[in-house]
Amino acid sequence: MPGSGMNSDVTIGDAIRVIPSPDGAWLTFTAPIQGAYELFRIAVADGRLERITDDPHYISGWDGIAGEGIEGRLRIAYLRSTPTETPDLYWMDGRSHPRRLTEFNKD
């Protein structure tokens, strides 16, 4: 369910956020599934649900902006943490593979 909460002792929770794609065809949100907290998107026209991220992690502090060049593309920045890793910043451009931008506690 969009906006469902999930507790974490590594990072604070977020307020409910639903961000439309630039063309209005999709709504992006976070929700819990199988012990993880993931990014999803749902098609406005037919309710088709797509899981954007898929990992045993906790997504927090996320935001999306319109991408350039491809209609409907949403660029997403988010914090990702796990039970053994503190939050690091990740970036996705459209449906691309997430790219890790920081390694704050690598050592």
Side-chain angles (χ1 to χ4, degrees):
M1 172 177 238
S4 295
M6 185 170 170
N7 292 327
S8 169
D9 59 356
V10 177
T11 187
I12 62 169
D14 287 328
I16 297 169
R17 301 202 60 204
V18 177
I19 298 179
S21 62
D23 62 1
W26 296 90
L27 299 174
T28 302
F29 59 92
T30 52
I33 184 168
Q34 301 170 338
Y37 204 62
E38 304 285 355
L39 282 164
F40 291 87
R41 70 182 197 160
I42 190 167
V44 173
D46 61 9
R48 182 176 35 139
L49 183 66
E50 291 184 7
R51 190 170 173 173
I52 297 173
T53 57
D54 189 4
D55 203 9
H57 57 209
Y58 183 78
I59 300 284
S60 62
W62 72 282
D63 203 352
I65 61 169
E68 296 177 11
I70 299 175
E71 186 175 333
R73 183 171 69 187
L74 189 66
R75 292 178 172 173
I76 301 172
Y78 61 89
L79 295 174
R80 176 193 178 273
S81 58
T82 71
T84 59
E85 297 174 324
T86 56
D88 273 304
L89 183 62
Y90 282 74
W91 171 260
M92 292 179 70
D93 191 4
R95 299 282 294 143
S96 67
H97 186 73
R99 185 169 42 128
R100 186 178 194 163
L101 301 178
T102 63
E103 292 184 273
F104 290 125
N105 289 291
K106 185 177 180 177
D107 293 339

